Amino acid sequence: MRSTRRSSNPRHRADWSLTRALPRSEILVVGAIITLAFVGVAIDQSAQVSTATAAPAAIEQPQQGTVDVTGMRSGSVGAAGTLQNPVPAALTEPVEGVTPSRLSIPAIGVDVPLGELGRDEAGVLVPPTGLMEAGWYHESVVPGAVGPSVIAGHVDDTEMAGVFARLHELSPGDEIVVVLSDGSESRFTVDRSIDTAKAAFPTEVVYGPTRDAQLRLITCNGPYDFGVMHYSNNLIVMASGVG
Amino acid sequence: MINLRKTLTAAGSALGAAALVLAPTASAIAAEDQGPGYVRFAHLSPDTVNVDLTLTALAGDSVVYQQGGIGYGAVSEYIALDPGTYAIAMVPAGEPSDAPAVLSGEIEIETGGAATVAGIDYNEELQTLVIDDDFAAPSDGSARLRVVQASASSSTVDVSTGEGTELAGSAELGDIGEYVDVPAGPTELNLVSDDAENSADMDLAAGSVHTAFVIDDADGQLVVVSGLDAASASVAPIGGVETGGGALAQSATQAQTAATLTGVGVIAMAALAAILLRFRRGATERA
C-alpha cells in the first residue's frame, strides 16, 4: 500500500517550506533584500542610457579674432618694366560633376563606399540606408573644396554596431581620406570632436561658411532614450584639409 | 549708391594701427576657442615681377609657409595660421628670402581673424592694401560679393551686376566695397571707368562669398580676378542626424543589467544561505 512519507514517518519533518522553515522576521528580511535588489535593477536600468562615450561638452561660444598687419614696407623692387596680363586663376576647386566615392579612416578601421544624402520634406538630413555605409550630404561642398563637406554614418542600428561606431575614438591629428569619383584623394586631419544634444545641434558650426576645406563626420551618440528609441546626442568630428 | 570705405593704402611706411576686428556676429569661422586665423595674399601690381612669399613665425624663427612664383593677378587661398606673430617677405621670384623685398612686414594672427594682404598700384608707387575679410553668411540660396578697386590705370571705377545691383560707385584705387547678397549662379559684372568699359563673368555657388578685384590687363582693359572668401553648404538641413538604432546602448545596458542581476543574485543567495544555516543550527539544537 502506498503511503506518504508524512504518514509513514510522523516524526520526520514535513516537506520543506520556506514559510514553515523560517521565522516570520527572517522571511521579511529576505523578501526585503530581494525586493530592494529588483527595485535597484529597475532604477539602474532606467538610468543606464549612455553609450561608452563621454558626457556632452558645451559648445564654445563664437569668439572674435583679429589679424593685425604692421610695419608693411613696399618699395620699387622687382619692376617688370612692362604691363602684364593677369595670370590664369589656379584651378583649386574640384572639377564639376566630381563626387566623393569612398571614405577611409585608418585609425578606426573604416574603409567604406560613400553614398549621397539629401533632405526629407521637412528639411531634415536623411541618414544612409546601409548600416555600414556612410553618406555625403550633396548640398555640402565636395571634400577638398573650400567650405564644409558633411558625411554622416550610423553608430548602430537596433542590433549591430555601425560604420561610425568607433568615431568617438578619433583624436586630433588622425587622418581621414576621401576618394573622389575621378580617383583623386582629399586628405584631412581631425581638429576636434563635438558631442552635442540634437536639440541644440550647432547648424552654423557644421554647415556654415569656412575659409578653407573642412570635413565634418556626424553620427549618433548617447544618452540613448529607450522611450522614443533614439540617441539624444550627435557626435561631430571636425577636420581640416591638408595641403 | 553704395559708398566705398577708404582703407589703408599707406605706401612705404608703417601701418601702425591696421587693426582688423571681426565683429562678434561673425560666422562659425570664429566658433572655436583655439582655431587658426587666416591670411591670403594678392599680387595686383601690373608691372611687378613674380614674387616668392615666405611667412616666418617670430616665435622660434621658423618658416611656416612658402610659395614661389606668384604672378600678377594671383589671389592665393587662405593660409591657416596658429595665433601668433609672423614676418611676411615677398621677394622677386628666385631671390633669397632675405633679399630686398617687394613687400615685407609683420602680421599678428588671432583665432578667427581673416585678412587679405594685397600689393597694388604700379611698381614705383607700390602700396600694401590690407583688407578685413569679415562677412556675414549669405542667406539660403544666395551668394555674397564685394568689389575691391585695384585698377592702377583708372581714377574711378563703377561696378554693377547684370541685374543692376551696384557693387562700387566712383571707387578709387584701394577702395573696398561692402559685401552684397546676390542671387547664386552665373553673374555678369559691368566694369566702367572714365576711359574703359568691360564686363566679367563670375560663377557664384549658393552659400559662397567672393571678392572681385578689379585690375587692368596689359592693354589697359578692366578685368576681374576673384578670391573665394568662404563657402558654406548651399542649404543647411534642419537639426541633427538620426544615425543610431540603440544596439550599442542596448548591449551596454544589457551587459550592465546582467552584471547587476548577478550581483543581486549572489547577495540574495548569501542571505538565504545565512538564514538557512541559522535555521539548521536551530534544528540541530532542537534535535
Side-chain angles (χ1 to χ4, degrees):
Chain A
M1 190 181 207
R2 197 161 171 266
S3 65
T4 65
R5 287 172 71 186
R6 188 180 295 175
S7 60
S8 67
N9 186 0
R11 281 207 64 202
H12 197 282
R13 190 161 285 279
D15 283 15
W16 191 86
S17 148
L18 185 66
T19 48
R20 296 176 66 174
L22 299 178
R24 189 165 300 273
S25 63
E26 288 175 343
I27 291 171
L28 286 176
V29 168
V30 171
I33 287 173
I34 292 172
T35 306
L36 277 175
F38 278 95
V39 167
V41 169
I43 291 172
D44 180 70
Q45 190 152 18
S46 67
Q48 170 61 39
V49 291
S50 69
T51 59
T53 52
I59 305 297
E60 307 91 304
Q61 290 303 306
Q63 176 196 337
Q64 68 180 50
T66 64
V67 173
D68 289 348
V69 179
T70 55
M72 289 305 299
R73 291 171 300 280
S74 42
S76 48
V77 173
T82 178
L83 296 178
Q84 306 165 97
N85 275 317
V87 296
L91 184 66
T92 52
E93 297 294 286
V95 180
E96 183 89 15
V98 169
T99 55
S101 58
R102 199 162 186 88
L103 172 70
S104 166
I105 315 173
I108 55 172
V110 168
D111 186 10
V112 294
L114 278 173
E116 286 196 19
L117 307 179
R119 291 170 296 132
D120 64 18
E121 286 176 2
V124 176
L125 188 69
V126 178
T129 45
L131 180 64
M132 296 310 294
E133 185 184 282
W136 165 68
Y137 174 50
H138 77 274
E139 288 182 280
S140 68
V141 307
V142 174
V146 170
S149 187
V150 178
I151 291 173
H154 290 277
V155 66
D156 59 19
D157 62 7
T158 54
E159 292 171 351
M160 290 172 62
V163 60
F164 281 174
R166 295 175 62 197
L167 206 62
H168 64 273
E169 294 176 26
L170 288 178
S171 53
D174 285 342
E175 187 183 47
I176 302 169
V177 182
V178 180
V179 181
L180 305 183
S181 56
D182 64 356
S184 63
E185 291 183 349
S186 295
R187 292 175 177 273
F188 300 84
T189 55
V190 173
D191 295 321
R192 61 187 177 131
S193 295
I194 300 172
D195 184 7
T196 174
K198 286 176 185 171
F201 190 85
T203 296
E204 184 70 10
V205 173
V206 173
Y207 299 102
T210 71
R211 302 282 180 187
D212 54 4
Q214 295 282 314
L215 182 68
R216 288 85 168 83
L217 306 179
I218 308 178
T219 193
C220 275
N221 204 20
Y224 190 80
D225 186 333
F226 286 100
V228 292
M229 297 294 283
H230 75 183
Y231 286 97
S232 303
N233 284 14
N234 274 136
L235 179 69
I236 307 161
V237 170
M238 312 278 284
S240 291
V242 180
Chain B
M1 172 132 152
I2 295 159
N3 287 317
L4 294 174
R5 179 163 54 95
K6 187 78 182 170
T7 59
L8 298 157
T9 55
S13 63
L15 303 181
L20 306 173
V21 181
L22 272 185
T25 53
S27 61
I29 288 160
E32 293 178 47
D33 275 346
Q34 294 176 327
Y38 297 88
V39 64
R40 69 179 172 186
F41 296 89
H43 177 342
L44 305 177
S45 172
D47 61 343
T48 296
V49 298
N50 291 6
V51 298
D52 293 345
L53 166 69
T54 303
L55 290 178
T56 308
L58 292 197
D61 196 29
S62 58
V63 172
V64 295
Y65 185 85
Q66 272 186 310
Q67 190 187 352
I70 302 169
Y72 171 59
V75 180
S76 79
E77 295 190 320
Y78 280 105
I79 303 159
L81 294 172
D82 290 333
T85 306
Y86 301 83
I88 306 167
M90 279 186 180
V91 300
E95 301 273 336
S97 62
D98 58 355
V102 175
L103 191 152
S104 66
E106 279 183 13
I107 186 163
E108 187 178 340
I109 301 283
E110 286 183 12
T111 292
T116 303
V117 177
I120 61 171
D121 212 344
Y122 296 114
N123 185 261
E124 275 195 358
E125 313 287 332
L126 192 68
Q127 308 173 36
T128 306
L129 179 64
V130 181
I131 305 166
D132 177 0
D133 291 341
D134 179 28
F135 64 89
S139 53
D140 264 3
S142 297
R144 195 159 263 243
L145 177 64
R146 71 174 170 185
V147 163
V148 170
Q149 206 301 78
S151 161
S153 73
S154 307
S155 54
T156 62
V157 172
D158 296 338
V159 181
S160 58
T161 67
E163 296 185 331
T165 303
E166 191 173 50
L167 296 167
S170 301
E172 297 175 5
L173 180 64
D175 279 355
I176 301 160
E178 300 291 336
Y179 284 108
V180 178
D181 264 18
V182 294
T187 298
E188 186 183 49
L189 297 184
N190 299 312
L191 317 168
V192 181
S193 70
D194 292 344
D195 52 0
E197 188 168 346
N198 203 1
S199 65
D201 294 320
M202 296 184 74
D203 193 11
L204 309 174
S208 64
V209 181
H210 301 255
T211 299
F213 298 90
V214 178
I215 59 173
D216 306 303
D217 70 9
D219 301 324
Q221 277 285 1
L222 293 175
V223 293
V224 161
V225 292
S226 68
L228 178 55
D229 299 1
S232 57
S234 51
V235 180
I238 294 166
V241 190
E242 294 299 336
T243 41
L248 296 179
Q250 199 94 249
S251 60
T253 305
Q254 282 165 356
Q256 178 89 7
T257 304
T260 313
L261 277 176
T262 306
V264 165
V266 167
I267 293 168
M269 293 298 279
L272 206 56
I275 291 165
L276 282 176
L277 204 61
R278 192 179 146 200
F279 161 75
R280 280 184 176 266
R281 257 203 310 277
T284 309
E285 280 160 12
R286 278 196 294 276

